[in-house]
Amino acid sequence: MKRIITEPMLEKYKEYLKEEEKSRATISKYIRDIKKLLDYAGGREITKRLVLDYKEDLRINKKYKLSSINSFLIAVNRFLEYMGWYGMRVKTYNIQREVFAPAGRDLSMQEYRKLVYAAKYKGKKRLAMVIQTICSTGIRISELSNVTVDSVKQGIVDIYCKRKQRKVLLPKKLKNMLVKYIKENNINDGIVFCTSSGKALDRSNLWREMKALGSEANVVNEKVFPHNLRHLFAKTFYKIDKDIAKLADLLGHSSIETTRGYIMTTYEEHQKQLDNMKLV
């Protein structure tokens, strides 16, 4: 029997992932990553050689970062395990953890404030509130739906994500701002941030609005994306508290190693530290 990946197989796998209680975002990513292999195969049988060639194609021809390639391969390997095609799995690349963040990646406090100001100036009150809510609490975009009228009144947001539950405190100033926003927009109950149809804001909605805002705020496009707000929260909190375990809990991370990636010093900060050592 030839090992050919078909759309019905992917549909069954999607149902399996749902039963495994994977989040919608995770399921969407896995399917998207498997389809990359499907496109590369072009109807050919899935063999170990083909998957190895695919791995090299991602690195040499597509020029993806090794971390991105590993992410694609993990999704593929898990699908191959589901299918029972264990011999087709390939190893991921070994990557030494970086000690500083690439230059120009992180959003600065000044740039964050410029985004908020630009949103208010353009009359985009909801966008301004969403940006401030994510950045001052560190929650994920997918967790915004947990910010309800009741949770704002209590000042505590209960979040259940990735089979973990945590409580997120709202800073007093943010709580007061949200109470005012709710009153001004006649939101009586339910989700605070939603579309005109009543659905919770999703990643694509917010991504598109923020990208459009970036040019208005004169902030480099590569820095303007929702997850960077979460990174700014992490770095700001860590500078004050220096407790990485507590920060991991606040962010909802299972591993401190994940949290380390959020608080890496920038290239400029690392350069300054090396220069201050004065060993040459």
Side-chain angles (χ1 to χ4, degrees):
M1 177 182 171
K2 282 192 172 184
R3 297 182 176 92
I4 305 286
I5 300 176
T6 63
E7 286 294 336
M9 283 180 183
L10 291 182
E11 285 301 315
K12 286 184 179 180
Y13 184 55
K14 192 185 293 186
E15 290 303 313
Y16 166 77
L17 292 174
K18 288 179 182 177
E19 290 172 4
E20 288 291 298
E21 299 183 59
K22 299 295 183 185
S23 69
R24 280 192 303 171
T26 298
I27 294 172
S28 177
K29 183 190 181 309
Y30 276 16
I31 298 300
R32 189 167 60 247
D33 290 349
I34 296 164
K35 283 185 176 180
K36 286 184 189 297
L37 174 62
L38 187 62
D39 291 340
Y40 177 80
R44 289 176 291 167
E45 182 180 9
I46 303 301
T47 63
K48 180 67 172 279
R49 182 68 262 168
L50 183 138
V51 181
L52 285 170
D53 289 343
Y54 168 67
K55 175 181 174 180
E56 284 298 284
D57 181 68
L58 290 171
R59 182 177 66 86
I60 298 172
N61 299 321
K62 301 296 191 301
K63 299 188 184 305
Y64 280 108
K65 293 180 180 178
L66 294 187
S67 57
S68 297
I69 295 173
N70 282 349
S71 177
F72 301 153
L73 294 179
I74 287 169
V76 166
N77 282 340
R78 288 182 179 170
F79 174 72
L80 295 175
E81 289 170 3
Y82 164 79
M83 293 298 298
W85 301 345
Y86 299 102
M88 307 300 107
R89 295 173 299 176
V90 297
K91 294 180 180 178
T92 54
Y93 289 104
N94 291 321
I95 306 173
Q96 182 175 336
R97 188 168 61 85
E98 295 179 336
V99 295
F100 59 86
R105 185 195 73 175
D106 288 336
L107 194 68
S108 69
M109 184 65 75
Q110 182 183 14
E111 289 167 330
Y112 158 64
R113 298 202 186 285
K114 284 168 72 174
L115 287 172
V116 174
Y117 176 80
K120 290 179 178 178
Y121 180 77
K122 295 288 288 183
K124 296 181 178 294
K125 294 181 180 179
R126 184 185 69 181
L127 181 57
M129 266 322 319
V130 167
I131 289 173
Q132 291 174 98
T133 300
I134 293 176
C135 200
S136 60
T137 60
I139 63 175
R140 301 175 177 90
I141 304 171
S142 59
E143 297 169 343
L144 269 176
S145 59
N146 294 282
V147 180
T148 62
V149 172
D150 286 342
S151 67
V152 170
K153 289 177 182 176
Q154 295 171 17
I156 301 174
V157 180
D158 282 310
I159 292 176
Y160 184 79
C161 181
K162 297 186 177 182
R163 288 179 283 187
K164 297 188 295 292
Q165 186 172 18
R166 72 186 195 280
K167 293 183 181 294
V168 173
L169 287 176
L170 298 177
K172 289 181 180 178
K173 187 175 180 180
L174 176 67
K175 178 184 175 182
N176 293 336
M177 290 168 65
L178 284 169
V179 167
K180 183 180 178 182
Y181 175 83
I182 288 168
K183 186 176 180 181
E184 289 177 346
N185 289 274
N186 299 313
I187 305 171
N188 299 315
D189 54 33
I191 300 170
V192 173
F193 303 116
C194 52
T195 63
S196 55
S197 63
K199 294 181 180 179
L201 280 179
D202 63 22
R203 191 183 308 273
S204 60
N205 297 137
L206 188 52
W207 185 289
R208 189 167 50 251
E209 285 193 76
M210 279 190 68
K211 285 295 180 184
L213 187 66
S215 57
E216 295 285 342
N218 197 27
V219 177
V220 178
N221 186 61
E222 288 74 15
K223 292 186 177 185
V224 185
F225 54 94
H227 201 67
N228 235 359
L229 299 170
R230 198 161 131 87
H231 277 252
L232 181 56
F233 167 85
K235 293 191 77 170
T236 306
F237 180 90
Y238 188 72
K239 281 181 181 178
I240 298 170
D241 194 88
K242 299 294 183 184
D243 186 339
I244 193 170
K246 184 176 181 181
L247 177 58
D249 289 339
L250 287 173
L251 294 171
H253 288 160
S254 300
S255 168
I256 286 177
E257 287 305 309
T258 303
T259 313
R260 288 186 194 280
Y262 282 59
I263 58 173
M264 282 193 297
T265 55
T266 63
Y267 169 86
E268 292 83 359
E269 290 168 331
H270 188 66
Q271 182 71 62
K272 185 177 180 180
Q273 184 178 357
L274 291 176
D275 293 342
N276 286 340
M277 291 172 69
K278 298 179 179 174
L279 293 175
V280 290

